[in-house]
Amino acid sequence: MKKIRKFLCAGFLALPMGVSAQYVGQHLSAIKAETKIDVKAYSFDLQDVKLLESRFKDNMDREGQWMLSLPVERLLHSFRVNAGMLTDKKSSKTKMPQPLGGWEALDMELRGHSIGHLLSGLSFQYASTGNIAFKKKIDSLISGLAEVQATLNEDGYLSAFPQNYIDRNIKGKSVWAPWYTLHKIVAGLIDAYLYAGDTQALDVVNKMAVWAYKKITPLSQEQLALMLRNEFGGMNEAWYNLYAITGNPEHKKLGDLFYHHAVLDPLAAGQDKLNKMHANTAIPKITGEARAYELTGDAKDRSIVSYFWNNVMENQTYVIGSNSDKEHFIAPGKISEYITGYTGETCNTYNMLKITRHLFTWDADVKYADYYERALYNHILGQQDPKTGMVCYFTPLKAGAFRVYSTRDSSFWCCVGSGFESQSKYGEAIYYHNNKGVYVNLFIPSVLTWKEKGLKLRQETAYPEEATTRLTIDSVGAESLPLYIRYPGWANNGVGVKINGENIKVVQTPGSYITLNRKWKKGDKVEISYPMTLHLEATPDDPKIAAVMYGPIVLAGEMGTEAMPPHAPYHDAADPYQYYDYNYNIPANLVHSLNINSSNISELIKAVKGGVLTFKTTGTTNGKPVTLEPYYNLHRQRYVVYWDLN
């Protein structure tokens, strides 16, 4: 597996979220292009990390059930219609499959994108669980797509819409992001090949690449520039990933052709021109440049990625780790002016986490793991409604707003698609490794198996509901092996570390790694505790507007359901801006002001006895107590995240 790791773990597929050893381990010849950069940390395969019972596993299980419940015939229907195929193949008495709704409806120009996300999500679920039901679903979908591709007989073109959409895009005519949709399909096929061992998927995607190469290599630079003005997702990343598998220079050329000069050149020059730019059009381009850097070693690509990430963290990121207002980047640093009902498109955070994983493997810097934790707990985990498994598009931060969730088969927004992936790969960033030892980056109940070192490491915790996580060595080789335990930047109250019950002196400081290096024995136990405290995090441009946090967790005030529409919080309109209105019908008397500051917060906000991460504040301006709980837990009601401080 060493060769695989050199190829993959430096960043492939967002620093691979787990390649199925049952497949790749027997097909080393599949690895054609190795990374050209030095790597500080490698990702583990998804199959090497098993989630134990927790909210994360619950979310993943709900997402898996949803994906399995979507009928193959309905998912393929629009593809078959586009190919002029008979959609009722069994008999004249068989009920015709109904097309899916929302963004997958037959009159939507983005139709077909969800099947790509589904292939990725199903593949991650299969790698994480080994459940053969996911594999069978993948194989059925790809068999159907291969049949559509053969029927179309257009040099390998495959989509649920005609090539005319691409032609319109190339000419600069109005069309809704056809390359974006194709990116999802290409990425899903690659994931199915790597994580589920579906060789037909590689055949289908190779044929798509043949078509794409013929389609766009004859274009002039002016034509390419016009084409790339339209959103194309991470098309560059997908072609680079295919090149890494095949070594075919045409596939690398395709990735190069999706270099968008208008967006990327200013970033390479250290110029911030993000204001008003459509955020999720820009972010996936950066992931593509991360792959380009790993495959070529070109320092320009690295500078683009690093500058972009640092800029977004400093100037664009809300307290929950999200970014964007009404899908666009805001004026740099002006967070307080953009606290609306349309903040935090969830796709953006999904893609920022992909970039973050690349950066972590290059440098093994704890700041990347700190951001990953914040965004994962406060945004991604809370994207899913635990009652139904449905997911939200925006994560509104306007005082008194509420989350609005998709429906099962009648919305299929972009964030439904990325949610299929995000909610299916929680094991991807808990652990990393270098040549010697293991990084423990996230405190999520799980079992890690590192076959090369004979290590089986079990992590048990109720974090963040408790401050302590416990690591047990279930098996280990004879050599010394360091554990690098993340010492979060937020943990200013210190840390307690015990090995087999004995206190260990810690010399490191927050924002670093605690190294525990020894010859471990089976049954050895490590206990790490990070005391959490209440604190305020103000917006960078206005210290009088702030969120309440407990350790890394954003707390939100419960505001009830007054004046919420009867069908809230679920909605299936194709346009997410048609949720209700920009004001969410917020009651005029809703309180969102606190008489609190950093010095008296612990006096005015108290833990609720017997509650779990539940607090009450009497510091409201009207004197009425408000219950605070983690933002990721607050569903189907109004809330306040950012408070006006008096």
Side-chain angles (χ1 to χ4, degrees):
M1 293 292 288
K2 239 175 202 179
K3 183 177 180 184
I4 296 173
R5 292 200 181 283
K6 188 174 180 186
F7 158 63
L8 291 171
C9 296
F12 184 66
L13 300 180
L15 307 173
M17 294 155 287
V19 175
S20 174
Q22 293 103 311
Y23 172 64
V24 178
Q26 300 170 14
H27 294 76
L28 293 177
S29 61
I31 309 307
K32 301 297 185 184
E34 296 183 355
T35 182
K36 296 294 195 297
I37 66 168
D38 292 328
V39 176
K40 296 288 182 62
Y42 296 86
S43 172
F44 282 98
D45 297 346
L46 268 183
Q47 67 166 14
D48 293 334
V49 181
K50 301 299 182 187
L51 295 186
L52 301 177
E53 290 303 318
S54 69
R55 172 67 178 278
F56 292 98
K57 187 175 184 300
D58 290 343
N59 271 33
M60 190 175 82
D61 289 346
R62 280 188 288 265
E63 203 75 22
Q65 291 164 10
W66 181 12
M67 290 190 290
L68 288 175
S69 74
L70 294 170
V72 170
E73 293 301 310
R74 294 188 70 187
L75 291 164
L76 290 171
H77 185 70
S78 58
F79 287 84
R80 289 173 171 156
V81 168
N82 183 51
M85 296 170 64
L86 184 65
T87 54
D88 175 14
K89 298 192 297 182
K90 294 181 180 179
S91 75
S92 58
K93 296 180 181 179
T94 303
K95 184 179 179 181
M96 292 285 286
Q98 293 298 308
L100 298 170
W103 288 12
E104 287 297 338
L106 287 174
D107 61 348
M108 296 296 288
E109 291 183 338
L110 215 65
R111 61 188 180 272
H113 74 111
S114 296
I115 205 167
H117 284 297
L118 268 166
L119 285 172
S120 294
L122 291 165
S123 299
F124 301 156
Q125 291 268 355
Y126 177 61
S128 298
T129 67
N131 184 343
I132 197 65
F134 296 113
K135 167 71 170 166
K136 290 180 177 179
K137 185 97 170 191
I138 292 163
D139 292 345
S140 295
L141 288 170
I142 290 172
S143 176
L145 290 174
E147 186 179 12
V148 169
Q149 187 180 51
T151 303
L152 281 169
N153 193 26
E154 298 178 11
D155 293 327
Y157 177 73
L158 172 63
S159 181
F161 50 72
Q163 276 201 63
N164 174 257
Y165 284 21
I166 299 292
D167 297 333
R168 283 159 54 188
N169 188 182
I170 291 171
K171 294 175 182 177
K173 294 182 178 180
S174 178
V175 63
W176 190 10
W179 283 110
Y180 170 95
T181 301
L182 294 186
H183 162 242
K184 309 312 172 195
I185 297 171
V186 170
L189 290 166
I190 291 172
D191 288 341
Y193 170 69
L194 287 172
Y195 301 122
D198 193 305
T199 54
Q200 189 175 31
L202 183 61
D203 179 65
V204 171
V205 76
N206 271 318
K207 289 174 180 174
M208 291 183 73
V210 169
W211 163 80
Y213 193 80
K214 289 181 179 179
K215 192 75 174 180
I216 66 173
T217 52
L219 301 182
S220 67
Q221 288 299 313
E222 291 74 18
Q223 288 174 304
L224 281 171
L226 190 61
M227 182 185 82
L228 296 180
R229 284 167 46 184
N230 201 346
E231 184 176 8
F232 57 81
M235 200 71 257
N236 50 350
E237 177 201 13
W239 295 133
Y240 287 136
N241 287 340
L242 184 60
Y243 164 68
I245 294 170
T246 66
N248 185 337
E250 291 186 357
H251 298 159
K252 181 181 179 299
K253 175 70 171 178
L254 281 170
D256 294 342
L257 289 172
F258 279 87
Y259 180 94
H260 192 190
H261 288 275
V263 172
L264 299 174
D265 286 350
L267 294 170
Q271 300 172 0
D272 181 2
K273 295 188 177 181
L274 298 180
N275 187 21
K276 298 182 180 179
M277 187 180 294
H278 188 263
N280 203 47
T281 295
I283 301 171
K285 303 179 199 291
I286 311 305
T287 313
E289 294 313 297
R291 283 303 288 138
Y293 170 61
E294 291 159 359
L295 291 168
T296 67
D298 189 333
K300 175 185 175 183
D301 295 319
R302 176 171 181 147
S303 68
I304 289 171
V305 179
S306 297
Y307 176 78
F308 178 84
W309 190 91
N310 288 322
N311 187 305
V312 171
M313 291 301 111
E314 182 177 353
N315 295 313
Q316 300 287 340
T317 302
Y318 296 95
V319 68
I320 64 170
S322 65
N323 62 67
S324 79
D325 175 46
K326 299 173 189 171
E327 301 190 4
H328 291 74
F329 285 129
I330 64 174
K334 301 295 184 180
I335 295 292
S336 71
E337 298 178 15
Y338 294 90
I339 299 174
T340 76
Y342 295 89
T343 50
E345 182 184 358
T346 313
C347 283
N348 297 9
T349 303
Y350 154 82
N351 280 311
M352 286 302 300
L353 290 178
K354 291 179 73 173
I355 296 171
T356 302
R357 293 197 69 206
H358 284 277
L359 286 162
F360 179 78
T361 59
W362 301 350
D363 297 331
D365 191 323
V366 75
K367 72 178 182 180
Y368 300 121
D370 279 355
Y371 168 71
Y372 200 101
E373 175 185 66
R374 177 176 293 222
L376 188 74
Y377 277 90
N378 296 301
H379 191 183
I380 298 299
L381 186 65
Q383 182 202 16
Q384 188 195 94
D385 173 25
K387 181 178 179 180
T388 63
M390 299 299 99
V391 296
C392 61
Y393 191 118
F394 296 112
T395 43
L397 295 175
K398 183 180 179 70
F402 50 88
R403 291 180 173 96
V404 179
Y405 296 94
S406 63
T407 52
R408 186 163 296 274
D409 64 357
S410 302
S411 47
F412 291 106
W413 311 310
C414 54
C415 297
V416 171
S418 60
F420 288 147
E421 299 184 41
S422 290
Q423 305 293 328
S424 298
K425 58 187 180 74
Y426 282 120
E428 72 172 4
I430 303 173
Y431 309 100
Y432 293 83
H433 71 90
N434 58 20
N435 292 330
K436 297 179 180 179
V438 173
Y439 291 90
V440 181
N441 270 9
L442 299 175
F443 310 122
I444 294 175
S446 53
V447 176
L448 166 69
T449 301
W450 189 6
K451 299 180 184 68
E452 292 177 359
K453 297 290 186 180
L455 176 67
K456 189 170 185 179
L457 180 68
R458 179 160 36 95
Q459 180 175 181
E460 297 169 295
T461 182
Y463 179 95
E465 295 176 1
E466 66 171 340
T468 302
T469 191
R470 301 161 191 85
L471 304 173
T472 302
I473 306 295
D474 285 341
S475 64
V476 69
E479 299 177 356
S480 295
L481 186 148
L483 298 178
Y484 312 110
I485 314 295
R486 181 172 64 97
Y487 193 165
W490 56 262
N492 294 316
N493 274 12
V495 61
V497 178
K498 294 180 180 180
I499 298 180
N500 296 330
E502 294 186 13
N503 290 319
I504 302 297
K505 182 179 180 181
V506 175
V507 297
Q508 291 87 357
T509 56
S512 63
Y513 281 93
I514 300 166
T515 301
L516 304 176
N517 191 7
R518 60 167 57 195
K519 288 186 177 180
W520 301 97
K521 303 186 301 296
K522 181 179 180 180
D524 280 347
K525 297 183 182 297
V526 179
E527 188 175 286
I528 311 103
S529 296
Y530 296 112
M532 300 183 195
T533 58
L534 291 163
H535 61 280
L536 296 173
E537 182 166 308
T539 59
D541 56 319
D542 189 343
K544 288 294 187 179
I545 298 178
V548 179
M549 299 191 69
Y550 185 68
I553 303 303
V554 176
L555 301 177
E558 297 180 356
M559 292 294 159
T561 60
E562 181 184 349
M564 282 175 60
H567 55 288
Y570 308 105
H571 196 39
D572 58 9
D575 183 354
Y577 287 94
Q578 294 176 0
Y579 280 165
Y580 304 106
D581 58 43
Y582 283 101
N583 295 317
Y584 282 68
N585 301 317
I586 297 170
N589 62 349
L590 186 133
V591 175
H592 54 87
S593 297
L594 292 176
N595 295 317
I596 282 177
N597 56 52
S598 295
S599 62
N600 66 12
I601 186 171
S602 59
E603 299 171 11
L604 296 179
I605 299 180
K606 298 290 187 181
V608 174
K609 187 176 181 180
V612 179
L613 286 184
T614 305
F615 302 82
K616 275 196 182 296
T617 177
T618 56
T620 55
T621 51
N622 65 359
K624 292 183 179 179
V626 171
T627 299
L628 301 171
E629 64 174 292
Y631 181 61
Y632 66 76
N633 261 348
L634 219 162
H635 298 276
R636 299 181 298 282
Q637 67 166 292
R638 301 184 186 279
Y639 51 75
V640 174
V641 171
Y642 279 107
W643 301 84
D644 295 330
L645 304 183
N646 296 311

